[in-house]
Amino acid sequence: MNILASLGKTARERVSTLLYGLGFFFNVMKEAVRFFKRSQVGYKVLINQILFTGYEALPINAIMAIAIGAAINVIGSSLLPQFGQSQLMYTILIIVITRELGPLLTAFVITARSGTAIATELGGMVVHHEIEAYMSVGLNPISYLVVPRFVGVTVAMVILTVYFNLFGLIGSFAVVQIVNPTPVGEYLRNLLGALSLGDLVSGLIKAFIFGVIVSVVSTYQGFSVNRSSTEVPVAGIKAVGQSFILIIVADVLVTLVQYA
């Protein structure tokens, strides 16, 4: 009976946590709509978040994009001609980078960098009673602390995904020239011929959804800290783990809808 009672209690706690998380999500959405109608309060946090999440992640994003694009080109150039399907290399390059790896790897990078930083920063504010200070003067912490980070991470995610796509599709060309020299005009012509509006829209939709997931989960975990400073790093770990899981689930669901 004790085991059954414990399992029942755990189930109730999980349902309660899920409902609280959904309530937090809808509250963030509501305040985000009002964000741009207010004065400049919170804009500094927004700009700083975009710079930290987007600008400072440009080098690692570029390196990953070039490496992956070059690998796809090298492998495709080696294998596809054996089956008389050389032109498929560009289609595969477009699908793999713009639809899948571009938004997915960008989301992983942002989760590891910004997700952890946001959760630990807000968790530290909770421990040091800064959240209570906001509430004591009538300021909504969701509006002034969560929403700027939510908007900043989502915007940076979309921009970084476009950046990743550009480097993956075009920047890798310089690397490929070492292994399999191809005329620039031919490469770009075949690449643009394989690229469609649907490919671009698909990647941007995923980037937007992933940005929402990372920002909401990270801020939620930051606010879930109670009073102990030892909970702060735990919040960061939970933010990364839960974000990874939800990103993968969302990626699968969006892909299924696109190809259904």
Side-chain angles (χ1 to χ4, degrees):
M1 291 298 294
N2 290 334
I3 295 177
L4 293 177
S6 177
L7 291 175
K9 181 179 179 181
T10 301
R12 287 194 299 271
E13 289 177 351
R14 289 182 177 178
V15 172
S16 176
T17 301
L18 176 62
L19 293 176
Y20 183 80
L22 291 175
F24 180 83
F25 171 74
F26 287 116
N27 197 5
V28 172
M29 294 296 105
K30 181 181 67 175
E31 294 300 324
V33 173
R34 302 175 181 174
F35 179 74
F36 294 100
K37 298 180 181 179
R38 296 194 183 95
S39 60
Q40 301 299 314
V41 177
Y43 275 34
K44 182 178 179 181
V45 178
L46 170 62
I47 298 301
N48 288 336
Q49 189 64 59
I50 293 176
L51 290 175
F52 173 73
T53 302
Y55 179 75
E56 295 184 14
L58 291 178
I60 186 173
N61 232 37
I63 293 172
M64 286 196 308
I66 292 174
I68 290 172
I72 295 172
N73 272 294
V74 171
I75 295 172
S77 300
S78 302
L79 296 179
L80 293 177
Q82 300 177 18
F83 304 96
Q85 299 292 336
S86 299
Q87 293 299 316
L88 281 179
M89 182 187 71
Y90 300 96
T91 302
I92 293 173
L93 189 65
I94 293 292
I95 292 176
V96 171
I97 290 182
T98 62
R99 285 181 176 264
E100 296 300 330
L101 292 186
L104 193 61
L105 291 182
T106 299
F108 286 166
V109 170
I110 288 182
T111 300
R113 292 184 74 257
S114 301
T116 306
I118 290 172
T120 53
E121 180 186 11
L122 293 180
M125 295 177 71
V126 172
V127 171
H128 294 97
H129 307 287
E130 295 179 47
I131 305 300
E132 294 177 358
Y134 274 93
M135 298 176 67
S136 67
V137 296
L139 297 179
N140 185 351
I142 301 294
S143 303
Y144 294 96
L145 296 176
V146 175
V147 172
R149 290 169 173 80
F150 164 77
V151 176
V153 169
T154 305
V155 170
M157 182 80 75
V158 174
I159 294 174
L160 275 180
T161 299
V162 174
Y163 179 82
F164 187 103
N165 292 343
L166 289 175
F167 270 84
L169 298 175
I170 301 175
S172 62
F173 175 77
V175 179
V176 175
Q177 290 299 91
I178 301 174
V179 180
N180 183 26
T182 305
V184 179
E186 178 186 346
Y187 182 85
L188 292 179
R189 184 169 57 253
N190 292 331
L191 196 62
L192 293 176
L195 181 64
S196 68
L197 181 62
D199 296 319
L200 298 176
V201 172
S202 173
L204 294 179
I205 290 175
K206 286 185 177 181
F208 176 80
I209 294 174
F210 296 164
V212 171
I213 290 173
V214 174
S215 56
V216 172
V217 170
S218 300
T219 51
Y220 173 80
Q221 288 299 331
F223 276 5
S224 67
V225 173
N226 291 319
R227 301 297 178 189
S228 175
S229 59
T230 58
E231 296 180 41
V232 175
V234 175
I237 294 172
K238 286 183 178 180
V240 172
Q242 291 179 5
S243 294
F244 279 175
I245 294 172
L246 291 176
I247 285 169
I248 293 172
V249 171
D251 181 64
V252 172
L253 292 177
V254 174
T255 300
L256 289 175
V257 170
Q258 291 170 348
Y259 289 96

